[in-house]
Amino acid sequence: MGKTEKTDPDSEYGEPAQFDPTFNGPMKKRGCTDIICCVLFMAVVLGYVAVGILAWLFGDPRHVLYPRNSTGWFCGIGPNKGRPNLFYFDIVKCATSANAMATALNGFQCPTTQVCVASCPTGFGAVGILSYGQKPADVFNQSLCVPSIQLATTDKTVKEIVDKELCPFFYMPTTPVLGRCLPDISALGRIPSEFSNIPGLPSINDTVDLIKNGTGDIVGGFNARDIGVRIFEDFASSWPWILLGLVIAMVVSMLFLLLLRFTAPVMVWVLIVGVLGAGAYGIWHCYWEYDNYKKDSATISNIGFTTNFNVYLHVQETWLAFLIIISVAEGIILLTIIFLRTRILIAIALIQESSRAISHMMSTLLYPLVTFVLLLVCVAYWAVTALYLATSGGPIYKVVALNSTLDDCKKINGSVTCDPQDFNSTDYPGCPSASCIFIKYNDEGVFQRNLFNLQIYNAVAFLWCVNFIIALGQCTLAGAFASYYWAFTKPNDIPTFPLSASFIRSLRYHVGSLAFGALILTLVQIARMILEYIDHKTREAQNPCARFVLCCLKCCLWCLEKFIKFLNRNAYIMIAIYGKNFCVSAKNAFMLLMRNVVRVVVLDKVTDLLLFFGKLLVVAGVGVLSFFFFSGRILLPGNTFRSETLNYYWMPIITVVFGSYLIAHGFFSVYNMCVDTLFLCFLEDLERNDGSIQKPYFMSKNLMKILNKSNKGQKKVKGKD
């Protein structure tokens, strides 16, 4: 068996690794690698910081976070503190089909007076014919009028106030949506009948149709602020139990990884037997169905082609085909297991060895927190920069007089800029309906003209930084686990603080190599995004041939991304061990894996199966437990928590499930990195050493037993696992 495991020295995939008496783990003496890429990455990061500073100087996120009234002041802050909602005097103008698109593009700005109010009106009101002879204070609501007019002391008549839009001519029940008072669709059926008799107001039916067509999608979709408040209340009352669920997920993940040291053989063979058992049941079921339809004279040739596939399930030939396919697959799987049983045993031993390595270096299980924090900072910086870039440039206001046929209005309509804080309609006597309306953000400066390019730079730099952070984590863990494997006497020969030492080595010497690998992956991801964008924009104009070509291209790029991730992962392991540049490390890792391709496939599938089963166990177990708890099916003594207090009990459940997946993924990614690192070290151990006193194996006794190998000086070595 030992001879069959020996790598062919004449392999087309390069020469095997040679014995080096001075090699005992990650190289201590190394130099900086891929310096050009390191300089390029540093320049991009500095440029990224400069873009963030410029965005911070020119941007103002208040344009997005807060609505503006007609005078240009923000609602909810400054002079309008305590009045967070924006109220439209004539909401029908916002809902007309001619203005609906412009309204959406201009941030819900409408050709009507807008004021900031403390709360949106919840009733109906209108200025009738008899109201014109009354005092303004008896007709209007001061809180809904512009701040410049005081109804109790004004000398203006009701008609003058209506003509100049100082107070609303009519209003209806509204609901706050994203800080805007938009019509309450459910109240439109209660419009008072006298509204139809008021001059200047559209009929009831016309009003309902305009409101529903213009704002129904916005209002009927969701009340974002109300839902957000309720969700916040749910989190405020259940956050201790959410944290408890996440702690349970962390403990279960850690225990599962540590127990693999003892239960890996049982779990692997149970899964294999389960797959074979499922195949055997499929064979029996297909034969049973085949025997049931033996007397049926129907055949596939008689039925022909039909879209009703249930018809084919009543044909004997269909079940015969299923029987043959499943039988062949079952036979292939069974023969593969028989002939590759040694490789499966190697995979199990490496999995057990990985659990042993993690138990000696428990700090590695906490390293995903470092990666998570760095990724969180990166995502936050990207989001804030994108927001500030999107709001760069001051808002531009222009005089607008829509739905007016006067010549003076046509001359100034959209051609004259204005300042909403100083605007006065009396300056345009020939156009009484003139108003100062927000049009767009200034895009005439050098910085503003390049906002699109800066957003692209922001996205590309973000992807590169994210991939670099992930690469740094993989290289750091690989260096720590390689230190464990190449320690001849474990755990006595394991270096002190191997994780910290590996992290420092990666940052000091290999930023360029890690950035190189991250850049290659980033370019492929950008190509995938561009292809998805082209597919989305041209979907309606595509013919079947174009859709097929795009689908093939997307599939190829997806496969290429997966391959590059696999290659980068193993290249980072070689970088952590030998300290060479990215290209040399990637080549050496690829050649080493290709010289042992069967072992690679077996280990990859066995490990993936175990990790999938582990993630499923953690996420499903914690998810089911959280469902029974937050839905009230599990009651705590003393009524310390009651599910009836939750508005949406599924929100804490989703949070726990999503958090459990992230936690399980973090723990299992460490385990997967450990398996891959020990596997590469194991392959090099087989090529470098032969078990003699001069060239002893570094692998565990279990692995040597499986391969029928041993160290001649093994008895003299104490503490060797």
Side-chain angles (χ1 to χ4, degrees):
M1 185 180 296
K3 293 182 179 180
T4 59
E5 294 292 337
K6 196 69 176 178
T7 305
D8 183 8
D10 298 326
S11 172
E12 60 179 320
Y13 297 108
E15 292 291 331
Q18 301 299 318
F19 172 72
D20 182 0
T22 62
F23 179 76
N24 60 350
M27 304 295 292
K28 302 295 187 297
K29 295 182 179 179
R30 56 179 74 197
C32 296
T33 55
D34 296 304
I35 298 176
I36 296 178
C37 197
C38 178
V39 173
L40 178 62
F41 180 69
M42 292 299 179
V44 169
V45 171
L46 291 177
Y48 199 18
V49 174
V51 170
I53 294 174
L54 289 174
W56 182 76
L57 292 176
F58 288 94
D60 188 356
R62 294 182 301 174
H63 298 322
V64 176
L65 300 176
Y66 302 100
R68 286 175 178 265
N69 62 10
S70 297
T71 60
W73 295 104
F74 294 106
C75 295
I77 59 175
N80 292 313
K81 187 176 182 180
R83 296 191 290 270
N85 300 304
L86 187 67
F87 172 67
Y88 303 90
F89 276 16
D90 190 353
I91 194 65
V92 176
K93 291 183 180 179
C94 304
T96 56
S97 58
N99 299 325
M101 183 59 69
T103 297
L105 294 177
N106 293 339
F108 300 109
Q109 297 292 326
C110 303
T112 184
T113 304
Q114 302 145 45
V115 296
C116 299
V117 296
S119 60
C120 297
T122 57
F124 291 94
V127 180
I129 299 176
L130 300 178
S131 301
Y132 286 96
Q134 300 178 7
K135 295 181 179 180
D138 298 332
V139 177
F140 301 106
N141 185 346
Q142 178 67 58
S143 63
L144 299 180
C145 297
V146 296
S148 60
I149 185 173
Q150 297 296 323
L151 297 177
T153 59
T154 183
D155 56 353
K156 292 182 173 61
T157 64
V158 172
K159 187 177 185 306
E160 290 176 338
I161 292 175
V162 170
D163 291 341
K164 295 183 178 182
E165 285 195 0
L166 300 177
C167 292
F169 178 58
F170 76 99
Y171 57 88
M172 61 184 64
T174 56
T175 181
V177 178
L178 301 178
R180 279 86 177 173
C181 296
L182 297 182
D184 185 357
I185 299 297
S186 61
L188 293 180
R190 305 193 305 270
I191 296 180
S193 58
E194 57 267 20
F195 267 39
S196 299
N197 301 323
I198 298 177
L201 278 181
S203 65
I204 294 177
N205 293 333
D206 292 341
T207 302
V208 172
D209 292 339
L210 286 172
I211 297 298
K212 285 186 175 180
N213 293 334
T215 61
D217 293 338
I218 301 174
V219 180
F222 62 92
N223 188 330
R225 180 162 296 180
D226 184 52
I227 293 177
V229 170
R230 292 186 180 185
I231 291 176
F232 179 79
E233 291 175 352
D234 290 342
F235 283 126
S237 61
S238 62
W239 69 266
W241 308 104
I242 293 176
L243 289 180
L244 179 61
L246 298 180
V247 170
I248 292 175
M250 182 179 65
V251 173
V252 172
S253 299
M254 187 180 301
L255 290 178
F256 183 85
L257 295 181
L258 296 179
L259 288 176
L260 279 179
R261 177 176 177 179
F262 309 100
T263 60
V266 177
M267 295 180 63
V268 170
W269 289 114
V270 165
L271 292 173
I272 292 174
V273 171
V275 172
L276 293 176
Y281 172 78
I283 293 173
W284 174 83
H285 183 77
C286 291
Y287 177 78
W288 181 75
E289 294 284 358
Y290 171 80
D291 188 64
N292 285 341
Y293 293 106
K294 185 178 292 184
K295 298 179 181 180
D296 197 340
S297 59
T299 61
I300 293 180
S301 59
N302 294 336
I303 296 174
F305 177 77
T306 177
T307 56
N308 185 8
F309 293 101
N310 289 328
V311 175
Y312 295 113
L313 298 179
H314 298 281
V315 179
Q316 185 186 29
E317 295 174 355
T318 302
W319 292 106
L320 178 61
F322 287 161
L323 178 63
I324 294 173
I325 293 173
I326 297 177
S327 299
V328 172
E330 182 83 351
I332 292 174
I333 294 174
L334 186 60
L335 291 175
T336 302
I337 292 173
I338 292 174
F339 286 103
L340 298 181
R341 62 188 184 277
T342 302
R343 268 82 174 190
I344 295 175
L345 293 175
I346 294 174
I348 294 173
L350 282 171
I351 291 172
Q352 291 177 299
E353 190 70 9
S354 299
S355 299
R356 187 178 293 111
I358 291 175
S359 66
H360 288 307
M361 295 182 292
M362 293 295 292
S363 59
T364 56
L365 291 176
L366 299 178
Y367 187 81
L369 292 177
V370 178
T371 302
F372 176 76
V373 171
L374 293 176
L375 289 177
L376 189 63
V377 171
C378 196
V379 171
Y381 184 81
W382 165 78
V384 172
T385 302
L387 177 62
Y388 273 83
L389 285 175
T391 57
S392 296
I396 296 178
Y397 292 83
K398 291 190 176 182
V399 179
V400 176
L402 299 180
N403 301 326
S404 180
T405 58
L406 298 176
D407 292 338
D408 291 341
C409 290
K410 292 180 180 179
K411 292 179 181 178
I412 65 173
N413 197 4
S415 61
V416 180
T417 58
C418 58
D419 185 353
Q421 299 181 17
D422 299 329
F423 179 78
N424 193 339
S425 60
T426 58
D427 296 336
Y428 304 92
C431 186
S433 62
S435 58
C436 190
I437 300 298
F438 167 79
I439 300 298
K440 63 177 181 177
Y441 292 109
N442 182 23
D443 56 358
E444 297 178 357
V446 176
F447 180 75
Q448 284 74 24
R449 286 199 301 268
N450 291 278
L451 284 180
F452 180 74
N453 297 330
L454 292 176
Q455 289 284 21
I456 294 178
Y457 184 88
N458 182 30
V460 174
F462 165 72
L463 288 176
W464 197 0
C465 290
V466 166
N467 289 324
F468 174 81
I469 291 171
I470 295 174
L472 176 63
Q474 292 176 345
C475 189
T476 300
L477 291 173
F481 292 128
S483 299
Y484 167 84
Y485 185 92
W486 295 110
F488 189 76
T489 305
K490 303 177 181 65
N492 297 334
D493 292 344
I494 299 176
T496 306
F497 305 118
L499 185 66
S500 302
S502 179
F503 181 76
I504 294 173
R505 283 198 304 268
S506 300
L507 281 181
R508 182 179 178 183
Y509 298 108
H510 307 303
V511 169
S513 297
L514 300 180
F516 193 1
L519 176 61
I520 297 174
L521 182 58
T522 300
L523 294 177
V524 176
Q525 291 172 341
I526 293 173
R528 288 191 64 191
M529 292 180 180
I530 294 174
L531 198 60
E532 289 288 348
Y533 177 80
I534 295 174
D535 183 29
H536 176 73
K537 288 296 183 181
T538 62
R539 186 174 298 274
E540 296 182 357
Q542 291 174 8
N543 54 32
C545 182
R547 284 196 296 270
F548 175 76
V549 172
L550 283 175
C551 183
C552 291
L553 289 175
K554 289 193 290 185
C555 181
C556 292
L557 286 177
W558 180 83
C559 294
L560 179 61
E561 182 180 355
K562 293 296 182 183
F563 174 75
I564 289 178
K565 285 183 177 180
F566 172 78
L567 187 62
N568 284 2
R569 186 185 187 88
N570 290 281
Y572 299 148
I573 296 174
M574 301 300 280
I575 290 172
I577 298 175
Y578 298 105
K580 297 182 180 179
N581 62 50
F582 177 82
C583 292
V584 173
S585 299
K587 176 187 175 182
N588 293 340
F590 180 75
M591 293 299 183
L592 178 61
L593 293 174
M594 291 304 297
R595 292 196 296 267
N596 301 270
V597 64
V598 177
R599 290 173 179 160
V600 173
V601 174
V602 172
L603 178 73
D604 185 62
K605 296 306 175 186
V606 171
T607 307
D608 286 348
L609 194 62
L610 268 183
L611 296 184
F612 172 76
F613 177 76
K615 288 182 183 179
L616 185 65
L617 177 66
V618 173
V619 176
V622 176
V624 170
L625 180 63
S626 63
F627 171 77
F628 280 102
F629 177 75
F630 289 111
S631 62
R633 289 170 173 81
I634 297 179
L635 300 178
L636 294 177
N639 290 328
T640 55
F641 177 80
R642 298 180 62 185
S643 61
E644 293 82 1
T645 60
L646 299 177
N647 298 297
Y648 310 106
Y649 71 84
W650 43 266
M651 280 306 299
I653 297 175
I654 293 176
T655 305
V656 171
V657 170
F658 183 70
S660 299
Y661 173 78
L662 292 180
I663 291 173
H665 180 73
F667 279 102
F668 283 72
S669 63
V670 172
Y671 190 84
N672 202 7
M673 198 69 203
C674 183
V675 173
D676 290 346
T677 303
L678 297 187
F679 180 58
L680 282 184
C681 295
F682 163 74
L683 296 180
E684 289 234 337
D685 194 9
L686 283 177
E687 293 184 352
R688 287 178 175 275
N689 306 307
D690 57 9
S692 63
I693 297 178
Q694 293 79 14
K695 297 188 287 183
Y697 292 116
F698 285 78
M699 67 184 73
S700 64
K701 288 183 178 180
N702 193 16
L703 279 169
M704 286 192 286
K705 182 179 179 181
I706 294 172
L707 297 175
N708 196 21
K709 296 179 181 295
S710 62
N711 286 332
K712 294 182 179 179
Q714 188 71 48
K715 294 182 179 179
K716 298 180 181 180
V717 179
K718 296 182 180 180
K720 183 83 165 61
D721 289 338

